[in-house]
Amino acid sequence: MKKLCLLIFICGFALGVNAQTKNETLEVISYNIHHGANKDEVLTIDKVGEFLKKYKVDLVGLQEVDSLCNRSGKTDQMKVLAEITGMHAAFGRHFPYDGGSYGLGLLSAFPLSDIRNDRITSKSVDGEKRSLALLSAIATLPDGRKIRFATVHFALDQPTRMLQAEEVLEFLKEDGSIPVILTGDLNAKPDNEAIELLQLDFSLTDAKLGNTFPVYEADRKIDYIMVSSKNLHSVKGAKVLDKEDHSDHLPLWSAVELKF
């Protein structure tokens, strides 16, 4: 009888611990780094790395990332950022550019797997049709739970943005019930139809809708951190980091509590 009671107690305790750890709070940054240069085209990739190291967030979604491009000193920018921050990194190429590649990046405090470069619609350039990257990966937390982390950069014209929003929703549905965090420069204000479309599946984490562009005297919000609505328990905090001037955009930070 004593052994049975002990077993019941242990099982009950384990269930209690599991219930207490059901939700997970993660800190996330979204940042368009302007090919690792400030608004005056002075290279700043090392400063971006030091800034991210200082904040010690769990996940970072980056847009306008160069890899071995002439304009940014033939630097593998994601490798530099990974070395400075000690985080896991992934790069997704939009297209070849200036002797290298131009695209998106992910940084994660957790191991990354199933890294995907899904292709979304882009406007034709000089008659040449191009697609862009929707970069995402599975981040595995220390207890084995998984999330899909993604970043994207939308077009400037509204018809293309609408197509891109539809495609993003379709691609990110593939992971079923696990939480999805989407970051990006969406080139659209919060009342834009493309943003409203994304909110069919995602919730904005920055309720105050702080302006993120341009870097000085920002007058519009075009950068976002979103979480799959069914997995967002609460937002612990969100703010535009308006003291960081390493790009022509300002970085956006959110702390989100996920439910699994």
Side-chain angles (χ1 to χ4, degrees), residues 120-140:
I120 62 173
T121 299
S122 178
K123 197 173 182 179
S124 295
V125 179
D126 297 328
E128 177 189 353
K129 285 190 175 181
R130 283 178 172 174
S131 61
L132 296 179
L134 165 65
L135 176 63
S136 71
I138 293 290
T140 301

Side-chain angles (χ1 to χ4, degrees), residues 32-259:
N32 179 326
I33 63 170
H34 187 53
H35 56 266
N38 66 17
K39 73 175 190 64
D40 298 316
E41 297 299 329
V42 176
L43 296 180
T44 58
I45 194 65
D46 289 338
K47 291 182 178 179
V48 171
E50 292 300 330
F51 145 66
L52 294 173
K53 182 179 179 181
K54 175 181 70 175
Y55 271 84
K56 296 181 181 178
V57 298
D58 299 293
L59 300 162
V60 183
L62 300 168
Q63 307 84 47
E64 296 197 17
V65 179
D66 275 2
S67 177
L68 307 178
C69 295
N70 293 315
R71 68 177 174 183
S72 48
K74 302 296 289 183
T75 300
D76 182 339
Q77 293 187 334
M78 291 310 301
K79 181 179 180 181
V80 169
L81 294 177
E83 288 174 349
I84 293 173
T85 62
M87 301 175 80
H88 302 273
F91 174 76
R93 186 175 80 167
H94 289 315
F95 42 76
Y97 185 81
D98 192 26
S101 300
Y102 174 67
L104 302 167
L106 300 176
L107 291 169
S108 171
F110 315 111
L112 296 175
S113 61
D114 190 26
I115 297 168
R116 298 193 332 222
N117 184 340
D118 293 313
R119 307 309 293 177
I120 62 173
T121 299
S122 178
K123 197 173 182 179
S124 295
V125 179
D126 297 328
E128 177 189 353
K129 285 190 175 181
R130 283 178 172 174
S131 61
L132 296 179
L134 165 65
L135 176 63
S136 71
I138 293 290
T140 301
L141 306 186
D143 61 6
R145 290 179 295 176
K146 300 178 185 296
I147 65 168
R148 171 69 63 179
F149 183 51
T151 196
V152 72
H153 192 175
F154 277 4
L156 293 170
D157 66 289
Q158 182 65 5
T160 305
R161 274 197 300 264
M162 291 300 292
L163 284 173
Q164 292 172 334
E166 292 172 2
E167 292 163 345
V168 165
L169 288 175
E170 195 61 32
F171 279 125
L172 295 181
K173 281 180 179 177
E174 296 179 8
D175 289 295
S177 61
I178 70 170
V180 180
I181 299 176
L182 173 64
T183 61
D185 172 359
L186 303 184
N187 274 314
K189 296 179 181 178
D191 60 355
N192 188 279
E193 288 183 6
I195 306 303
E196 293 173 350
L197 180 59
L198 288 173
Q199 289 181 83
L200 292 176
D201 288 349
F202 289 89
S203 295
L204 304 183
T205 63
D206 45 330
K208 292 184 179 180
L209 302 175
N211 293 330
T212 58
F213 184 84
V215 62
Y216 298 122
E217 299 181 2
D219 60 12
R220 73 206 80 161
K221 175 179 180 55
I222 57 175
D223 300 275
Y224 296 84
I225 299 170
M226 301 183 182
V227 176
S228 48
S229 298
K230 63 187 177 184
N231 301 108
L232 181 61
H233 183 269
S234 65
V235 178
K236 298 295 189 181
K239 60 183 175 181
V240 176
L241 305 177
D242 57 8
K243 304 301 182 186
E244 306 297 336
D245 59 357
H246 317 302
S247 170
D248 61 345
H249 284 242
L250 292 168
L252 176 66
W253 168 90
S254 292
V256 295
E257 184 181 5
L258 305 179
K259 54 186 179 182

